[in-house]
Amino acid sequence: MTADDRFVSKRFPRSSTYHPEWIMAGVSGGANPLWMTEWLAGALDLRPGMKVLDLGCGRALSSIFLHREFGAQVWATDLWFSITENLRRIRDAGVADGVFPVHADARSLPFALEFFDAIVSIDSFFYYGTDDLYLNYIARLVKPGGRVGMAGAGLMRELEGSVPEHLREWWTKDLWCLHSAPWWRRHWERTGIMDIEVADTLADGWQLWRDWHLAVAPDNAVEIQALEADRGRYLGYVRMVGRRRPDVQLDEPPLSVTTEYIKKPLIRGEG
């Protein structure tokens, strides 16, 4: 494969038009953000002018892609990466009129209720979305009938008991946040907030995961070897899409508790 052929795939025709050096300069995680975004967008019915929250956007490649390919107005929101760098990348891509960088924590977002037509999260939802209360929090920001979708690293089946021998050298305690599509389906369905439209995995996702690391982090031998030993038994890419049910009333999360201090005796028999 020549340098110009990197990241070219018949499975991702839109992503394949982007320059490999531009993609390499925007690496921010363990998955090709354009591949994941194109895969997820296939289940979202995005249309020009839609307001989209790109939650955990990293270095904004997915946000730029969403605007250029689908005409969406995108709020590129991330906690860890510089919004100043992201703004420069957005301007250089010629999309400053449609992609807006925001620095925010996923659990403390500065947006109005029901502002977005759709919410997407590329290879980051597992950092915060496993919280049992989180779907109620984030779903309030999308309009009734709007979609919430995520795509990224996950499990093909849940780990039961101890970590398999072939994954132990790579597996760290934080990786317990990874889950399978059936797990995510149950996690969302039981809230009653979403009608689940998609809960699936990407065919040969482990190979795409490995190939991504061979291109962007070839020295990461432990992860590459784990993927090659696993061959998709446990590791791969997971996608979830749900539509907010219009008939469900979402609760406002408590931000503070109002109390009044009244002095009382400390010890029995006093006061």
Side-chain angles (χ1 to χ4, degrees):
M1 179 178 289
T2 67
D4 286 344
D5 289 333
R6 286 174 297 167
F7 314 126
V8 171
S9 171
K10 292 180 180 179
R11 299 167 68 180
F12 306 106
R14 292 177 183 265
S15 303
S16 296
T17 66
Y18 288 76
H19 200 290
E21 293 302 325
W22 184 78
I23 296 172
M24 291 287 290
V27 170
S28 62
N32 183 319
L34 302 191
W35 288 353
M36 292 296 101
T37 306
E38 186 167 350
W39 181 40
L40 180 60
L44 288 176
D45 188 28
L46 296 175
R47 297 184 299 276
M50 276 187 166
K51 295 182 176 67
V52 176
L53 170 59
D54 186 1
L55 186 58
C57 71
R59 299 170 83 176
L61 270 64
S62 54
S63 303
I64 293 168
F65 182 87
L66 286 166
H67 179 69
R68 283 180 50 87
E69 299 299 323
F70 302 99
Q73 301 291 297
V74 186
W75 279 257
T77 303
D78 201 86
L79 177 65
W80 294 345
F81 290 91
S82 166
I83 58 171
T84 299
E85 178 192 326
N86 282 353
L87 179 60
R88 292 177 61 188
R89 182 175 290 104
I90 289 163
R91 286 174 174 169
D92 286 345
V95 295
D97 60 338
V99 182
F100 316 108
V102 178
H103 178 259
D105 190 313
R107 296 181 177 86
S108 184
L109 294 167
F111 303 114
L113 301 182
E114 301 182 2
F115 180 74
F116 294 104
D117 298 293
I119 298 173
V120 305
S121 177
I122 303 301
D123 207 37
S124 69
F125 198 78
F126 46 75
Y127 287 121
Y128 38 83
T130 56
D131 183 337
D132 289 339
L133 304 179
Y134 190 73
L135 187 62
N136 180 83
Y137 171 76
I138 194 66
R140 298 173 314 122
L141 304 184
V142 71
K143 297 173 183 177
R147 290 182 173 92
V148 177
M150 64 92 164
L155 300 179
M156 301 300 96
R157 53 187 169 127
E158 292 298 307
L159 292 179
E160 303 294 341
S162 60
V163 177
E165 178 65 32
H166 68 282
L167 296 179
R168 288 180 186 174
E169 184 178 0
W170 170 67
W171 194 269
T172 54
K173 292 181 176 60
D174 60 317
L175 290 174
W176 288 108
C177 67
L178 297 181
H179 289 288
S180 63
W183 187 95
W184 283 110
R185 176 184 282 276
R186 290 192 300 271
H187 188 59
W188 284 17
E189 276 185 334
R190 65 185 180 179
T191 67
I193 294 170
M194 295 282 181
D195 288 323
I196 308 304
E197 297 183 330
V198 174
D200 62 3
T201 59
L202 185 60
D204 298 323
W206 74 271
Q207 292 178 323
L208 297 175
W209 186 342
R210 178 202 59 190
D211 292 348
W212 173 249
H213 275 275
L214 286 172
V216 306
D219 294 335
N220 188 2
V222 173
E223 186 162 345
I224 292 169
Q225 289 168 6
L227 288 161
E228 291 179 340
D230 185 69
R231 300 188 66 81
R233 282 179 286 170
Y234 289 97
L235 304 179
Y237 290 131
V238 171
R239 177 175 64 169
M240 274 285 298
V241 176
R243 183 191 291 269
R244 178 181 166 184
R245 295 178 57 185
D247 58 329
V248 174
Q249 181 67 39
L250 299 183
D251 298 327
E252 290 295 314
L255 301 179
S256 64
V257 178
T258 301
T259 62
E260 179 183 357
Y261 175 72
I262 301 175
K263 185 178 179 179
K264 298 292 183 179
L266 178 66
I267 304 297
R268 290 178 183 270
E270 294 184 353

